[in-house]
Amino acid sequence: MSTHFQTETTSMEKIGFIGLGRMGKSMAANLRKKGFALVVLDINAQAVKELGALGASAGQDVAQIARDCSIVITMLPSSVEVEQVAFGAEGIFAHAAKGSVLLDMSTIDPLATDRLQAAALARGLSVVDAPVGRLAEHADRGESLFMVGASDADFARVRPLLGAMGTTVYHCGGVGTGGRTKLVNNYVAVTLCQVNAEALALSQRFGLDITKTLQVLYGTSASNGQLRMNFPNKVLAGDTTPGFTIDLAHKDMSLVLGAAHAAKVPMPVAAAVFESFSLARASEYGRVDFSGIADAICDLAKIERARVPKGWTPPG
């Protein structure tokens, strides 16, 4: 994205941002750093204050943001929160001017996105679904990936914003395709966490050297992005501070199963992974990073948790 195009976009559009959680706050910060005029809103006053220090304005409420901003971004935990913000007497759709865009970056039920789209069209508004790929640390660095469902015109309109928050943007098709692509992606990512956790627990039970086991796995087709990129920096280093929690992974697997049932696609592996994450949540692992499923499996089997030596990095 050229600087000239970005400046033109900044001068033309005021952007609302609702939802300053672990990833949303970093994305909003990157928008400000790239010069976008931003109005932010969150139940966490500290997050709003931190964005204010970067030059963002604090929104009074959803209705005010909808009135003042031609593009409103939502980055919220679930379909419930997104629909609460969009619908109702004080919601986005009731107060946004015709031609405004709701850019939803949350991971929600695809049928909820379809409902948003139908309601927006009836009011002369637009919806873009652009859920986020990659991890929280990528969001911190402005290196997120976006899967976008939008008309060609709306995609062109929001593309500069996405380019300010990430490095990779895929236009997957019409409204709803972004969220559905995200469910496919997260199904694989969460399932790989489960598979890796079971494999590492087995390695621990066998008494194997964890670094030797990892070197073998990295050198064969068993290697995967979670094992190479996430696990060494998180659970295997003893760090389970959340980038993406087990609670959220569980929520996403619920969405995967719901969408699969609606589409009549059997997904027995997804069902098993969902229940494993249910067990982890019941054992108070819900708020840890989703790589922490490895600790949960080891604890369940009464095995020493898998850890690599301090400073160890994956080969290659």
Side-chain angles (χ1 to χ4, degrees):
M1 178 176 64
S2 71
T3 302
H4 177 63
F5 181 52
Q6 182 181 328
T7 301
E8 287 182 346
T9 305
T10 303
S11 65
M12 291 170 59
E13 307 261 27
K14 183 180 285 188
I15 311 301
F17 203 114
I18 301 173
L20 304 175
R22 176 62 184 89
M23 296 188 78
K25 185 171 70 172
S26 293
M27 292 176 179
N30 283 314
L31 285 174
R32 272 303 305 145
K33 291 172 184 177
K34 299 293 175 63
F36 288 93
L38 206 61
V39 184
V40 299
L41 184 67
D42 194 86
I43 59 174
N44 183 349
Q46 179 59 32
V48 174
K49 183 178 179 181
E50 290 177 25
L51 265 295
L54 296 176
S57 301
Q60 297 173 3
D61 52 33
V62 174
Q64 179 253 323
I65 287 181
R67 287 192 298 268
D68 292 351
C69 301
S70 52
I71 298 177
V72 179
I73 298 171
T74 48
M75 184 66 171
L76 297 166
S78 74
S79 308
V80 173
E81 290 84 2
V82 174
E83 292 192 293
Q84 285 175 345
V85 163
F87 298 126
E90 298 304 314
I92 294 170
F93 291 163
H95 293 273
K98 286 188 177 181
S100 297
V101 176
L102 168 59
L103 170 55
D104 180 38
M105 299 195 302
S106 319
T107 301
I108 65 173
D109 182 351
L111 296 179
T113 300
D114 294 345
R115 290 192 292 271
L116 292 172
Q117 168 71 343
L121 287 175
R123 293 166 172 80
L125 308 172
S126 295
V127 168
V128 173
D129 61 307
V132 187
R134 299 179 181 156
L135 304 171
E137 51 262 40
H138 294 101
D140 296 340
R141 299 192 297 265
E143 298 173 355
S144 293
L145 177 151
F146 296 97
M147 296 150 267
V148 186
S151 68
D152 289 343
D154 288 333
F155 177 71
R157 187 172 173 186
V158 303
R159 179 65 178 84
L161 303 177
L162 300 174
M165 295 181 283
T167 55
T168 310
V169 180
Y170 292 110
H171 188 187
C172 299
V175 178
T177 59
R180 288 172 167 90
T181 302
K182 176 66 182 288
L183 291 189
V184 173
N185 178 84
N186 278 24
Y187 163 65
V188 175
V190 175
T191 298
L192 286 174
C193 277
Q194 177 70 29
V195 171
N196 293 337
E198 293 178 17
L200 293 173
L202 185 61
S203 172
Q204 291 292 98
R205 178 71 86 198
F206 286 165
L208 301 178
D209 182 314
I210 185 65
T211 61
K212 297 296 183 184
T213 300
L214 289 170
Q215 287 171 350
V216 169
L217 294 175
Y218 292 150
T220 72
S221 60
S223 184
N224 60 75
Q226 286 296 324
L227 192 64
R228 180 173 288 277
M229 294 188 297
N230 196 27
F231 272 52
N233 297 316
K234 297 300 293 181
V235 66
L236 293 179
D239 178 8
T240 56
T241 55
F244 181 68
T245 65
I246 281 179
D247 277 341
L248 287 175
H250 181 266
K251 182 264 292 185
D252 284 4
M253 291 303 288
S254 175
L255 293 175
V256 167
L257 286 168
H261 290 160
K264 297 182 180 180
V265 176
M267 298 188 75
V269 172
V273 173
F274 174 77
E275 291 304 333
S276 177
F277 274 70
S278 294
L279 286 171
R281 295 175 76 229
S283 300
E284 300 183 351
Y285 281 90
R287 294 182 179 274
V288 308
D289 187 79
F290 73 141
S291 64
I293 192 68
D295 284 354
I297 296 296
C298 284
D299 289 354
L300 187 65
K302 295 181 171 52
I303 307 169
E304 184 178 356
R305 293 174 175 180
R307 295 291 186 265
V308 296
K310 186 175 181 180
W312 184 86
T313 56

